[in-house]
Amino acid sequence: MELLSILTPMFFTLVTAGTVIGIIFGAIPGMTATMAVAVCLPLTYSLGLENGLALLLGLYVGGISGGLVPAILLNIPGTPSSITTTLDGYPMTQNGEGERALKIGITSSLIGGLFSLAALYLFAPALADFAIKFSYIEKFLIIFFALTVMAALSSSLLVGIFSGFLGIFISLIGAYDISRGGNGELRLVPESLEYYLESGFSLLPVLIGLFGLATILIEAEQGMKEGQSLSGVKIGGKPFKLSIFKGQFVNLFRSSAIGTFVGILPGVGGSAASILAYSQEKNFSKTPEKFGKGEPAGVIASESANNGLTGGALVPLLSLGIPGDSTTAILIGAFTLQGIQVGPLFIGNNPVTWDAMIIAMLVANIVMFLVMVFAIRHLAKVVTVPKNILFPIILMMCVVGAYTINYGVMFDVWTLLIFGLFGYLAHKIGLEIAPFIIGFILGPSAEIYFVKSLESFGTFSIFFTKSWIAGLLWVLIAISIAFSISVARKKNKTENE
Amino acid sequence: MSFDSPFHVTIDFDTSHMIFPTIIAIILGILFTAILITRGRTMLATITNGPWWPAGIDHMRFFGTLVLTVIYFTAMPSVGDFFPNTGLGFYLCSIPYLFALSTLFLHERTRRTLLIAGANALIAPTIVWYILSELFNISLP
Amino acid sequence: MTGLFKSIAAAAGFAAMVASPVLASAADLPSNIRLVIGSKSTGGDTYQNSAIVAEALAKKLDINVKVDAVGSSEAFKALQRDSRGTTIMIFHDQSYLGNLYGVRGYDDIFDNYVVGPTVAINPGNAYLVAKNSPMQSMEDVIAAAAAGQRVRVAIQAGGVSEIGFSALKNAVKVTHPGAEENIVPVNTGSQADKNQLMFDGQADVINGSVQANEQFTQLDADDQKAMRFIWLTAREETIEQANPEGMGDTTRDELLAFTTPNVSVTLDGSKDFTFDKEFFFLFNKDMDAEQIAAIDTALKEIYAAGDIQKTQKASFFIPNYKPQAEAATYLKAKRDEYRHVIDAIATN
């Protein structure tokens, strides 16, 4: 009965408001779910625990979901976890299927969200016990597995892998982060830049530089031609039908499961979820050559995985007191502000709060779906806004996003410009952006887990002998690499014929 | 990092920051060599035969965007310094930047299009500044 | 659409705002203060504590105080750039411990900034073992090291997390000279990583906190995740000030069993080592002394009123206001004591 007294109209209003604000944050390039939660955290103090959580969880679900809108319509990932959504979502928009792509993405998001919520509700403690079987070694192998995606995403295997490793290399610039276990020493930094590059380049400014600013520079170079709106985009196109999901059941299930699972592992990083899911879908697909050209299955994989993350990341938070990603790291603040401990006893000690959170997540997912489906017609029109109006606004929002991601560091704004130029040049000389950014995202984690594994065990053989999980991961890595090579071979053949 | 035997390594924490960058640099070197070997000839041909500067690019819009952006980024913190912690550096610089960029991108600069660009340059930063800086109390330059 | 109308109204009233001077009057504080903190996390103790103090200050002085979690290196840079009093900083003992441990980016704060006042203590710094570990107490740990057994302690290098480790090593050196080399660090990062090292059997002792690890100590011994407190570094009188309920299912009296004198990690054979993680202000060296005094006085009045203490205690912080000058002298003495510990184990 206590639960019913919490489920007031206020509670539902807050979830709804949170979800809507979250979607808006997620949909604006440069603004993220993490930022939405951080900004609203102080408000929760006066709201009380359950109502505060209702708002924050709404923001979380909305923020992660909103990222698909600019990814699909503008080729700019609204949040890091929607990078792989751009790969097929934007080509669909260019083929005049923007609205359809959005609907596919939203439906997949809903399914991924609900899947992970069910996993959270039913198996949280068991999943947490499984997650702690992943030591440095298994985590390194997971990252390695995710890195093999670089190959799957490359149009030319060699150049793609080179771009990916370049991404890793650039991600290592700056100090070997003490707060992750490093020794705090600088590397790869020229002496004159030490003042600025102490913490290296931040992910978000790099991301929006590569995808946002670079795109605008390329358009500027071409003189902003083709009328005044985005290149040949039509609204409408093929109608969306639920039948698109026929035959996608395995994809949805696998991608949601991957998303949930990556969320459960603290320290692996949320973006790895959609990257892994996307590449697995491509590897298992009968028509891998269609990916990157507007294949709905790619959008489905990416979006169901990144919403699968939402429930997954709450598992270690609520059963170990450890956040699964950057957004849940801020959620911890909401609990401590209210004097509530999160740890292995949380669910048992606070059954009402726990149920309220599950209901908030459920409502947030449903509200997200309804709001976005209704808003789609209007959202999709963003592509008809003249470029000379749209692009300056996007640039301004990118600046805001870059500046605010670390709570006000001007160098992050310059990072945006540096990587905007880099993205432009990369485009010119044929470097591949998708593997580059994946390398950049996963590089620091790969380093920590690799070096720490050797530091603890002092032998390379440990990567093979640590556990059955390590063995299984090696099998997956081998399969992933083999698939990529065979796909590349096939492609070479058809090109040569 | 020192190798005790083919598989065994000892890692010195104080120098452990160089291990991974070194490995990645070696791999990058190998990959780069491989690219040179497989495609070196075509790459060399492009460099020697192709024009040094790509033809047909819109110099005014491309460099205009870059120059305006650099001015915008430089001006923001300086202007913001006059009004510390108010986000006004962002607000006051965004208006001219948006207007200049919108005008630069325009092909037909009619009264109407300029008016739209001007209105947008006023309204968009105002909304963003008001919501983020005033309502949400987010730090802006 | 109300939002739009409001912003139009704001734009209209904007001219007036630009015209209004930044400073109400010369010796007064700026109307918009940015409080940077040495942590990047908005879910952590530094942010939480700074938010409490910032809110109280803003109310008291009728100004805006905005907390920005920019992290230590950016916070120091921002503070160094601004001597007008529009940027101030809150951080904890890490600010000088980083310097003592020689971490890049940490200068001597007593030379480069105005230090103090202090505002609060986080008394939770703790060391734990696995519940089924053969070592059940700090005594066991020290005895094991003395007997030649390697004791691996998971810490984050270069600061608050390492100081207890250094103290332990020093205590072993004092009581069993030569055996201190058996206390070895496992350098790692977050609390998650430290816990994980214990679950994996890669660390015998981990650094943790009452707040983050208390629930793990309540688990059954057969649970892989079960832990046991063996040492709280806080002073006895610090914990004594906590609310009697303590944290979670561990009462204040139970917590006191893990502090000195019940657990002894000796400093020099006679006195026990203690460490309280204290939060304090840092100001630009050239900031107007009257402005600093204004903040100091405001804090004094806030603490005299007595409401902030309740808020802090509810979040397991121990209120600890010391005026600026007193705080600076106190922290400098504290720094010198720890320097002694770190030097002692460095010159083996």
Side-chain angles (χ1 to χ4, degrees), chain A residues 34 41 52 132 199 226 252 294 315 318 331 353 365 396 446 476 488:
Chain A
T34 314
L41 180 66
I132 64 169
S199 352
E226 304 185 40
L252 275 170
V315 169
L318 300 177
L331 276 181
T353 309
N365 271 295
M396 178 179 70
L476 291 173

Side-chain angles (χ1 to χ4, degrees), chain A residues 129 132 135 195 198 452, chain C residues 73 77 187-188 196 200 225:
Chain A
D129 278 345
I132 64 169
S135 66
Y195 184 80
E198 219 164 87
K452 289 291 162 189
Chain C
S73 74
K77 279 184 210 165
N187 294 303
T188 183
Q196 185 65 45
D200 289 344
K225 304 186 293 293

Side-chain angles (χ1 to χ4, degrees), chain A residues 38 41-42 45 129 131-136 139 175 178-182 184-186 195-196 198-199 266 319-320 322 329-330 332-333 336-337 339 341-346 349 403 406-409 449 452 455-457 466, chain C residues 34 40-43 47-48 66-70 73-74 77 81 102-105 156-158 186-193 195-197 199-200 202 210-212 214-216 218-219 223-225 247-249 311 314-315:
Chain A
L41 180 66
Y45 192 70
D129 278 345
I132 64 169
K133 297 206 186 320
F134 283 70
S135 66
Y136 287 139
K139 281 183 187 164
I178 286 197
S179 64
R180 299 196 68 181
E185 295 298 323
L186 288 179
Y195 184 80
Y196 299 104
E198 219 164 87
S199 352
S319 40
L320 297 172
I322 282 157
I330 300 172
I332 277 203
T336 45
L337 269 176
Q341 269 178 294
V342 280
L345 304 180
F346 172 82
N349 287 354
Y403 188 77
N406 291 319
Y407 305 97
V409 176
Y449 295 134
K452 289 291 162 189
E455 218 173 296
S456 291
F457 294 93
K466 176 71 171 42
Chain C
R34 182 180 189 215
K40 279 190 177 176
S41 148
T42 47
Y47 181 85
Q48 202 188 347
K66 161 92 185 82
V67 183
D68 271 337
V70 295
S73 74
E74 287 299 332
K77 279 184 210 165
R81 277 199 299 265
V103 179
R104 199 190 35 74
Q156 183 182 312
V186 182
N187 294 303
T188 183
S190 63
Q191 194 59 51
D193 291 338
N195 296 353
Q196 185 65 45
L197 281 166
F199 303 150
D200 289 344
Q202 292 297 312
V210 173
Q211 295 90 326
E214 191 273 335
Q215 293 200 344
F216 289 90
Q218 301 296 331
L219 298 173
D223 193 318
Q224 188 191 359
K225 304 186 293 293
M247 171 61 65
D249 295 329
T311 319
S315 305

Side-chain angles (χ1 to χ4, degrees), chain A residues 12-34:
Chain A
F12 292 104
T13 312
L14 283 166
V15 181
T16 309
T19 312
V20 172
I21 298 174
I23 292 172
I24 296 171
F25 263 78
I28 297 174
M31 310 252 102
T32 61
T34 314

